[in-house]
Amino acid sequence: MILLLLLNVAIMVVLSQMLNNSPNLSDAIYRSKNIFASSLDSDIFWSGRNFVFPFFFIVDALIVFWRLIRRYRQMQLRHIINELHYIADGNYNYRIPFELRGDLSKVVASINGLVDSTVAAIEDEREIEKSKDELITNVSHDIRTPLTSIIGYLGLIEDGQYQTQEEALKYTHIAYTKAKQMKSLVDDLFEYTKVRQPSVPVNRVSFDMIQLVEQLAAEFELEADKKGVQVLVETSESSLIMDGDTEKLVRVFSNLITNALKYGTGATQIVIKIEKAGTEAILTVKNNGTPIPRESLDQLFDRFYRVDESRSQEISGTGLGLAISQNIVNLHGGYIYAQSNRQWTSFIIHLPLKANTSKDSSAGSR
Ligand code: ATP
Ligand code: MG
C-alpha cells in the first residue's frame, strides 16, 4: 500500500513537472478546457482532486485486489500441498476436506479421486495376497490328509505288518483311492487357476444348448438310476443355438448334476430346465431332498467351501467345482446363483445367447 501511494505521488509530480516545463503542451491542455488539465499546475494535489484522486483510488484498489487474490491462491495451494504431504505420510484414509471454487476445486477432486483409486488398488493387492496365502494353506491341508494315509498304509506294507495277502491288498486299495483323491484335487486346482487367468482362451463355437443338455442327462442316467433318482430335461424350445466353449460349459453342468447326485440327500428327481428370456438362456439344475442351510448358500461358490454335512459324511470332493463353474460362467458373460427351499435346491445360470440365432418353438416338457 505504501509503495502504491509513493508511486501515485511520483506519477503526479512527474506529470505536473512535464506540464509546467512544456508551455506548448500546457497551452494545448488549457485550450482543451478539460477541468482537470486546465487547473493542473504546481498545486496539482488540490486543484486536480476531482479527477486525479478517484482515478488513482480505482487503479490502486484494482492492484490491491489482484494482489490479494494471488496471495489467497498461493495460500490455498500451500494448504493443498500440506494436505498432500499428510496423505503421503501414510494417512490414506484422509481426504482433503475443504471445498474450493474454480480450477482448484477440480485439483482437489482429482487428488481425492486419485487417493481413492490408489487405496482401492492397495486393498485389492492385499486381498489377492491374502487369498493366495489362504489357497496355499487350504491346498497344503487338503493334500496332507490323503498323503498321510497313503504313507501310513504303504508303510504298513513296507514293514510287512499284514497277516494275509488280502489285508495287503486292502491297504494298497486304500492308498490307491487316496492317491486318486489327491489327483482329483490337483486337477481341480489346475483347472481353477487356469479359468481364473484373465487371458484364458474361450473357444467359442455355435452349439445347440438343448442337444448338449439332453446328451449330458443321458450320460448321467445310469448313475442316477443306481441311486433311484430320475433325471428330467424340461424346456419349451426345440433348439437353442448359442455361442460358447462347450468343453468348459459341460464341466459346469456335469458338476451341477454330480453335486445333485452326491449331495441331494433323499432326492428322487433332478430337473434340468432350459428357458429363453430375451437375449439370455436360463439354465436351472435343481434337485429335491434336504435343502442347503440358508447361511451356507452365499458361500457355496467360495473355493474349498463345503457344507458341513458333506464334510461329515465324507463324500469325496474338493469344494472347487462351484468356484470353477462360476468362473466359467463369468467368462461367458453370464452369472450363476443358488436357491434352496424345502422343495428344491436350484442352481440357476444366466448365459447370453448368440444374437438372432435362437429359434423358438413349442415342444413342451420332456
Ligand atoms: P468338486 O466339485 O470340486 O469335486 P465339491 O462337489 O465338494 O467338490 P462344489 O461342487 O464346489 O465342491 O460344491 C461345494 C459344496 O456345496 C459341496 O461340498 C456341497 O456341500 C454343497 N452342494 C453343492 N451342490 C449341492 C446340492 N445340490 N445339494 C446340497 N449341497 C450341495
Ligand atoms: Mg462338485
Side-chain angles (χ1 to χ4, degrees), residues 297-351:
L297 276 180
D298 289 341
Q299 299 173 67
L300 289 180
F301 297 92
D302 292 352
R303 62 180 185 217
F304 297 114
Y305 182 81
R306 305 190 70 210
V307 178
D308 284 344
E309 206 185 315
S310 326
R311 284 186 192 278
S312 60
Q313 286 178 2
E314 296 210 340
I315 303 170
S316 72
T318 59
L320 278 170
L322 285 175
I324 294 170
S325 304
Q326 189 175 45
N327 275 315
I328 293 176
V329 172
N330 290 349
L331 277 177
H332 284 80
Y335 56 97
I336 179 170
Y337 57 97
Q339 284 175 347
S340 190
N341 54 37
R342 271 202 269 159
Q343 268 144 15
W344 297 105
T345 291
S346 318
F347 287 83
I348 301 149
I349 301 173
H350 288 242
L351 281 173

Side-chain angles (χ1 to χ4, degrees), residues 219-229 257-258 261-262:
E219 283 169 25
F220 277 96
E221 221 158 80
L222 194 70
E223 198 182 331
D225 265 355
K226 278 192 209 159
K227 297 192 170 215
V229 179
I257 302 170
T258 313
L261 283 170
K262 276 204 294 191

Side-chain angles (χ1 to χ4, degrees), residues 198 200-209 212 241-249 279 281 327-335 350-355 357:
V200 57
V202 180
N203 302 319
R204 285 179 183 274
V205 287
S206 255
F207 70 97
D208 184 354
M209 176 67 98
L212 184 112
I241 308 294
M242 54 187 296
D243 257 357
D245 188 325
T246 45
E247 202 183 306
K248 290 192 172 63
L249 289 174
T279 55
N327 275 315
I328 293 176
V329 172
N330 290 349
L331 277 177
H332 284 80
Y335 56 97
H350 288 242
L351 281 173
L353 285 170
K354 186 183 170 185
T357 48

Side-chain angles (χ1 to χ4, degrees), residues 13 21 45 101-102 106 112 126 151 172 232 299 306:
V13 170
N21 292 342
F45 295 103
R101 269 193 258 152
K106 289 183 199 152
N112 283 341
R126 273 193 204 139
I151 294 170
T172 7
L232 295 164
Q299 299 173 67
R306 305 190 70 210

